[in-house]
Amino acid sequence: MAYDTDAVRRVLDAAKGRDSLTAPEGRAVVEAYGIRTPGEGLATNPEDAVAVATAIGFPVVLKIVSPDILHKTEAGGVIVGVADGAAAADAYRTIVRNAREYDADARIVGVQVQEQLTSGHEVIVGAVTDPTFGKIVAFGLGGVLVEVLKDVTFRLAPTSLETARSMVDGIKAAEILRGVRGAEPADPEALADLITKVSDLVTDFPEIAEVDLNPVLATSTGATAVDVRILVDPAAAKTPVRFGRDEILASMNRIMRPAAVAVIGASGEDGKIGNSVMKNLVNGGYRGRIHPVNPKAADILGLPAVKSITDVPGDVDVAIFAIPAKFVPQALEEAGAKGVAGAILIPSGFGETGNHDLQDEVVEIARKHGVRILGPNIYGYYYTPEHLSATFCTPYDVPGGVALSSQSGGIGMAILGFSRSAQMGVSAIVGVGNKADIDEDDLLTFFEDDPHTHLIAMHLEDLKDGRAFAETAQRVSKRKPVIVLKAGRTSAGARAAGSHTGALAGDDAVYDDILRESGVVRAPGLNDMLEYARGVPLLPTPQGENVVIITGAGGSGVLLSDACVDNGLSLMHIPGDLDEAFRAFIPPFGAAGNPVDITGGEPPSTYRNTVALGLSDPRIHSLILGYWHTIVTPPMTFAELVVDVVEEFRARGIHKPVVASLSGDVEVEEASEFLYRHGIVAYPYTTEKPVAVLGAKYRWARAAGLL
Amino acid sequence: MAYDTDAVRRVLDAAKGRDSLTAPEGRAVVEAYGIRTPGEGLATNPEDAVAVATAIGFPVVLKIVSPDILHKTEAGGVIVGVADGAAAADAYRTIVRNAREYDADARIVGVQVQEQLTSGHEVIVGAVTDPTFGKIVAFGLGGVLVEVLKDVTFRLAPTSLETARSMVDGIKAAEILRGVRGAEPADPEALADLITKVSDLVTDFPEIAEVDLNPVLATSTGATAVDVRILVDPAAAKTPVRFGRDEILASMNRIMRPAAVAVIGASGEDGKIGNSVMKNLVNGGYRGRIHPVNPKAADILGLPAVKSITDVPGDVDVAIFAIPAKFVPQALEEAGAKGVAGAILIPSGFGETGNHDLQDEVVEIARKHGVRILGPNIYGYYYTPEHLSATFCTPYDVPGGVALSSQSGGIGMAILGFSRSAQMGVSAIVGVGNKADIDEDDLLTFFEDDPHTHLIAMHLEDLKDGRAFAETAQRVSKRKPVIVLKAGRTSAGARAAGSHTGALAGDDAVYDDILRESGVVRAPGLNDMLEYARGVPLLPTPQGENVVIITGAGGSGVLLSDACVDNGLSLMHIPGDLDEAFRAFIPPFGAAGNPVDITGGEPPSTYRNTVALGLSDPRIHSLILGYWHTIVTPPMTFAELVVDVVEEFRARGIHKPVVASLSGDVEVEEASEFLYRHGIVAYPYTTEKPVAVLGAKYRWARAAGLL
């Protein structure tokens, strides 16, 4: 149906200056969007109440209507189960008396008389204006129990019908709505329809800050919003400024692949940041032009220095700032005038130390000149395809397909150390620091098209514009896995709660739902993010959900199965013919089924035959290997045979993810490294990690629609 | 109140041969234990129904009574909300007609007329006979929603009032029972009392297999069991045979500290298991007498061989079997006659390959001779204080305080490799394999008093006698941490469900509750078990809950805070004077509070001063350090200063747990190892692991009553 936007506009205009709508106003607004509400009428005296109630039919509920009373129950302003006319008149009088006692100055418009619905599932549908994501819709089961268990799910508004259906199906207690123990089910279509209407309403009228339909009664034939609360706030209509995709790419391409960089504050003195940056550029092997800028030096590291960036002959793409914060504005004016695309602000002393004015000032200067800022308060960035180490840390030189970013310098250093230690091939490591300008969605936009990048992993503590990130991630994650470590997961969401939905929208619950909907794979911790980044790109994309465990140790098989369940992987049900095929290779007391337990003490040929079978049968999509160290098949023998058989199948065009857990004496460490180097994600002394990496691959592949 | 056990006995006697009690029988049984049930009476015709209902007071519920109809609702045998006499007569007729249609042969005793309770919280209280733990009681919120969410908790029966209270408080939705949004709270004492009564009932009458009080209506003044279902089964009264503590210790002391061992099937031939065992005994440095037994060799590895254990001069404590399974019974007879305390059955080919008869046979032989069996189907065992490597794997020689056991050989090898790689000091590594005899509670009993063992870590897939384990662990964990990795966590509990409580008692939920109640720290995975085993004994027991994070990287601080919440640790609220004291050491733009953010780029003195303050202030109980690699304070400088200051305080008698997360380039790996060697649990590239180990220490200390 078409929405009656004029009706909503009239109500909102009439409510200007207030921060909430009255119940009748709220009802008028949602009815204009085709949302069913109970029969009701406004009574302004006891006789009225009797007449309205009689017209609606008993039982009815009576509720105070006053712009000054938001918490009606607290004010004694609600009476339910009013069964006849006499009771209706009494209830009217009681409510008005209670309201006056609660707040003698409250303006009382009257008493709302409402049809009392007696059956259906209580659910809550709402919308709030999230500081990170903007308009979001919420759906959950209602009632006291669910309020305690906080079983609610969130999506960006506007939402499609399909997404709204995923909300109805996505709460933990979804089974209840399908009708258990013979109870009447709720109509999922009616609920999905209601959710999209609420999401359209807040999208069309962004000054609506919050909508709270609580409870909604859902039956097998429809859904009725019993109580409507709407908060309005002109500030809720504000949206952040954004750059277009082409603008972002134009800047980011020059920043990541500069033909010339200037180092403002370059220094020949050991221990200075401006010296470390120069050394890293030179020693890192950057082949573009490097211009040290220093008013007092003639040359630095053998390169001619200039007094100001203005004096550089020719164009400069990137200016790296290695000077104290207070000197940045002037130098940025000069860099802007020179036409740089990016200003890399290493110095601290901006927003993170409370100096927001200085940070705002440099952003303003940058905007004026069309310069994008990375930072401030960062270690810099690396882009290995250009051998570019624009940082005061140490150079990094193992090229590869993983792009990483971090909001914190400490985490950036952990990324660097882990990468070097694990010899992880990296395309880029970027510090975003205070994110005064360039943030994760700018990076995503660049990495999306960067042919050197196959996976993006990001550490973040917040998002400046969560909606821009979600929309970009949604697109990028279809092509490349996006891993996110969201720090501050557990901080109590200290949001001022103006409504039920608001109170339920704790920061992390919203992040979790919206990141998942965007196809992002969320890492539970720092080490997980690093391991996913290292392992996920090595694994080919699985062609289906059938995972098979082949193990030499029954004990590992049990733990690997646990890990599969923990990571949402499906252990394949092995059909009879395949079971027989496996049995042909394993001892009679071994177990086929899944895990395939080849038993300990088997020779290399048993591992080889079963792994080859797993790779050759098209019904199997992924393999998890559990190795048990024995004299008969030592660790390196196992590793070499697995690499051999996997490479044989790769040569035939058969690519399946293979991960391995190695149990044994210390030689399994070398064997695991050998396997890893050959694209088999393998770990010693853990059954959890290889399965977690495979699980991350699957989560991505599912979200990207590849399964 | 005293229980009327005679009344219960009469009902049970009358029900002999049946597997369930009728509703009136069930009611009589629980009433004999002082459990309140609704007013009710049996009607055998419609007029009766009217009379009984009138006496009880309306509304009433009518329910079919038939020994042949267990699922009353399904049979159309329940009508609720019967409001007056005419309705009662109608309901009687309807129910009997429905029952006849449902099962024409059902014996119909009559119709139960029951008081219909209209208020209170619906809860479920029950008891089942668990195959692992025996009698257990269950408590949960009732109703459809909770059935879906499975919010139930379990304890061993009999249970104390205090433990019963912990059940009422321990479910996820406990808040509901305390009364939210002005709802009437349930009386927790009445519920705890009801739980203990049910637990006493099944303890006193072990042939009661299951009790299901569902729903129980709980109000602020009491609790009433509305529906009672009781299943009986003589087999439910069986309890496993147990050894006494002194018996266990007498055997285990000889097994772990033998003066003489015989190797049955000792061999001089490389690659034979009997050869590996001999080499490991000799090369491992075992100083007791070693007797190779081999009918064909004169000497093995320079030691004189005997044809049979019977020929060994003097006593033998342990016989290690390295011969095929089929030869074990005869050799065990001889070993038994020789008076060995322990038979270490390395060979496979017993229960694990389906050969249960052979396994039963050897157990019988062992029992006859008073021999305890370790295995069969194991790698053997290590006990480093005696330099004893009674295994075909490689010797292990780093002595220390950790005792480990595994049910699987594969996991045993992972333990060995991890221990060697991490240089983890170990007192014992024991394979329990099929657990035909010696199991985890025998080991716990030995390690409890073993002065060399300070922590016990166990991998297990099942428990032969969960109750014996729980009771032993309860005692041992008061003195030493007990870490358990329970494999098979996620296997669908394929229990035949005869009742609601039975259906809810999934294997893992029961394990989880009962292990926790026994003071056991459960490790979520293999690597966690190994890291807890390594780290927990190094940390001193904290004196209180106040944890403080001191970090050089704000980003690490946020992730460490997340990890604290994940691991149930309390970030101390820093009082004003302490805040000032920290501020004196850190830059003005650093953040005091908790985490204490000293900011990056600080010199070693800032780390030193803040760590010293954390150690010296008695209100702080544990420290978590977040290090950020900088040129000003390189990794080893940080590590050395931390060790220095921690040792300074240790010398003054101040012992607090200190853990650290190191972010930086690869040098942080060496720094982490240096810290670990000095008792500071430190890891590179992860904020999660150090906090998880500290969390494990806290979980243990709380359960042991040390906090």
Side-chain angles (χ1 to χ4, degrees), chain B residues 265-285:
Chain B
S267 167
E269 194 181 325
D270 264 355
K272 294 270 185 193
I273 284 184
N275 181 256
S276 299
V277 172
M278 284 299 297
K279 279 186 189 158
N280 290 335
L281 286 170
V282 172
N283 301 339

Side-chain angles (χ1 to χ4, degrees), chain B residues 141-178:
Chain B
L141 229 57
V144 170
L145 183 55
V146 172
E147 189 176 334
V148 171
L149 298 174
K150 304 217 180 345
D151 187 15
V152 191
T153 186
F154 302 90
R155 299 289 187 280
L156 292 178
T159 177
S160 67
L161 253 181
E162 194 190 335
T163 300
R165 277 183 208 117
S166 79
M167 297 176 75
V168 178
D169 285 342
I171 59 172
K172 288 187 225 99
E175 205 180 325
I176 295 287
L177 297 178
R178 290 179 210 122

Side-chain angles (χ1 to χ4, degrees), chain A residues 155 159-170 188-189 192 195:
Chain A
R155 298 290 187 278
T159 178
S160 68
L161 253 181
E162 194 190 336
T163 300
R165 277 183 208 116
S166 79
M167 297 177 76
V168 178
D169 284 342
E189 286 306 306
I195 292 167

Side-chain angles (χ1 to χ4, degrees), chain B residues 349-707:
Chain B
F350 292 89
E352 86 287 0
T353 60
N355 206 345
H356 297 285
D357 288 347
L358 185 60
Q359 185 162 317
D360 292 346
E361 187 188 345
V362 301
V363 171
E364 206 178 309
I365 296 168
R367 288 277 180 275
K368 188 174 69 185
H369 293 289
V371 176
R372 300 297 308 267
I373 290 174
L374 185 65
N377 187 30
I378 55 170
Y379 49 91
Y381 70 109
Y382 301 80
Y383 186 62
T384 61
E386 300 289 326
H387 307 282
L388 181 65
S389 295
T391 167
F392 62 89
C393 302
T394 40
Y396 192 73
D397 55 4
V398 183
V402 182
L404 302 110
S405 74
S406 76
Q407 194 164 346
S408 140
I411 305 309
M413 282 301 290
I415 289 173
L416 189 70
F418 175 89
S419 302
R420 201 186 306 280
S421 180
Q423 287 293 294
M424 175 162 76
V426 156
S427 61
I429 303 175
V430 184
V432 293
N434 295 7
K435 298 197 275 199
D437 179 12
I438 291 175
D439 63 6
E440 288 82 2
D441 60 90
D442 297 300
L443 298 182
L444 277 183
T445 303
F446 172 77
F447 291 128
E448 178 183 11
D449 286 334
D450 178 30
H452 301 287
T453 298
H454 306 307
L455 174 144
I456 302 124
M458 298 177 146
H459 157 266
L460 52 94
E461 292 176 355
D462 57 21
L463 288 167
K464 265 168 41 196
D465 181 351
R467 177 170 292 260
F469 179 84
E471 289 171 2
T472 310
Q474 175 95 59
R475 191 184 67 233
V476 177
S477 66
K478 293 267 183 293
R479 295 174 56 188
K480 302 175 179 182
V482 179
I483 313 286
V484 166
L485 169 62
K486 167 69 177 72
R489 256 184 311 119
T490 55
S491 66
R495 172 195 309 263
S499 70
H500 241 84
T501 307
L504 291 165
D507 274 350
D508 198 66
V510 174
Y511 262 100
D512 200 56
D513 281 343
I514 294 182
L515 290 181
R516 191 178 44 249
E517 276 296 299
S518 309
V520 162
V521 175
R522 200 167 166 184
L526 174 57
N527 193 256
D528 308 271
M529 178 185 81
L530 296 169
E531 298 290 1
Y532 293 179
R534 183 182 174 214
V536 167
L538 298 185
L539 299 176
T541 302
Q543 301 300 303
E545 294 281 359
N546 284 338
V547 177
V548 170
I549 298 172
I550 298 173
T551 183
S556 299
V558 178
L559 290 170
L560 291 167
S561 301
D562 283 351
C564 282
V565 175
D566 288 344
N567 286 283
L569 295 173
S570 309
L571 283 183
M572 180 187 186
H573 176 79
I574 311 273
D577 64 309
L578 189 52
D579 196 73
E580 263 182 59
F582 274 116
R583 278 187 195 283
F585 297 126
I586 64 182
F589 52 89
N594 195 358
V596 178
D597 183 356
I598 70 169
T599 78
E602 285 297 295
S605 59
T606 309
Y607 278 107
R608 170 179 279 277
N609 289 332
T610 48
V611 173
L613 177 56
L615 291 171
S616 65
D617 193 291
R619 292 167 294 184
I620 298 175
H621 304 120
S622 298
L623 292 181
I624 298 172
L625 310 183
Y627 166 75
W628 180 9
H629 188 163
T630 62
I631 301 172
V632 186
T633 308
M636 277 308 296
T637 305
F638 167 77
E640 282 164 6
L641 83 84
V642 169
V643 168
D644 194 53
V645 68
V646 167
E647 287 186 343
E648 187 186 314
F649 277 87
R650 281 184 196 147
R652 288 200 242 155
I654 294 175
H655 299 269
K656 297 182 184 181
V658 181
V659 303
S661 162
L662 281 74
S663 279
D665 214 328
V666 289
E667 297 96 301
V668 296
E669 296 178 20
E670 185 197 349
S672 298
E673 279 167 31
F674 178 81
L675 285 164
Y676 221 119
R677 278 202 304 280
H678 289 83
I680 291 140
V681 170
Y683 294 92
Y685 321 132
T686 167
T687 44
E688 302 81 34
K689 275 193 187 181
V691 181
V693 173
L694 182 63
K697 185 88 196 188
Y698 266 98
R699 276 197 274 159
W700 168 68
R702 283 188 209 112
L706 299 171
L707 277 177

